[in-house]
Amino acid sequence: MSGATYLAYDYPLLSAFWTLLVFFLWIMWFILLFRVVMDIFRDDDLSGWGKAGWLAFTIVLPFLGVLVYVIARGRNMGRREIAQARAQQDAFDSYVRETAKGTAGPTSSVDELARLSEIKARGDISEDEFRRAKELVLSGHGGAEHAKPYASSPGR
């Protein structure tokens, strides 16, 4: 028989299952270890010495350290993670809002009329020009493109 055939007889399906289970648990252990270490650094309630102590405990005795940390402080791990996710989402939302404010989007007729009133109050356009621009805005055919020539026309 060939070497591959011997391997199939020597390594049955149940052994393959146990190997995959041990591999999966090993990976899960590392994920839990990294989450605990990240939570130690994320926690603002712990002092520097507290963080150093927990970190040393999880490094020197990793299985016992992580087990004790999850038992002692595990309840708030989820809360801290949710708080961080909310803070990141709020920061992203505020960034999007600030960026969207900076872009010139379509303005409403109320905004256009307010801008026309300001231009007229400064004396940049006459009463007749204001009336024509106002009619354009209210009819829906005008907008910023009709008010700008009046505001930038020379000698007004």
Side-chain angles (χ1 to χ4, degrees):
M1 295 188 140
S2 67
T5 308
Y6 286 126
L7 181 62
Y9 287 116
D10 292 340
Y11 204 70
L13 185 61
L14 187 59
S15 295
F17 170 76
W18 284 113
T19 301
L20 288 175
L21 181 67
V22 168
F23 183 73
F24 175 75
L25 290 175
W26 184 252
I27 297 296
M28 291 304 297
W29 161 249
F30 276 113
I31 291 172
L32 180 63
L33 178 67
F34 291 132
R35 286 191 64 174
V36 165
V37 170
M38 290 303 297
D39 188 65
I40 290 171
F41 286 111
R42 182 183 298 141
D43 190 7
D44 292 333
D45 295 337
L46 278 176
S47 66
W49 287 107
K51 289 179 183 185
W54 277 113
L55 189 62
F57 190 38
T58 57
I59 290 174
V60 172
L61 299 170
F63 291 109
L64 184 63
V66 168
L67 180 68
V68 171
Y69 185 85
V70 169
I71 291 171
R73 302 182 50 84
R75 177 179 297 165
N76 294 328
M77 280 178 70
R79 292 182 186 141
R80 284 187 288 274
E81 190 169 341
I82 289 171
Q84 182 199 18
R86 283 187 183 148
Q88 285 179 339
Q89 185 65 40
D90 291 343
F92 176 75
D93 290 344
S94 67
Y95 170 75
V96 168
R97 275 189 227 103
E98 290 299 318
T99 304
K101 282 182 187 177
T103 60
T107 57
S108 68
S109 59
V110 175
D111 295 333
E112 290 295 323
L113 289 174
R115 213 144 100 267
L116 282 171
S117 296
E118 289 175 18
I119 294 170
K120 181 183 160 225
R122 285 192 315 243
D124 291 339
I125 60 174
S126 67
E127 183 66 36
D128 187 44
E129 291 171 330
F130 173 74
R131 186 181 45 76
R132 280 187 281 146
K134 183 172 123 180
E135 288 172 3
L136 284 172
V137 169
L138 292 177
S139 68
H141 294 90
E145 64 273 1
H146 294 290
K148 286 179 184 171
Y150 295 122
S152 63
S153 49
R156 300 213 182 236

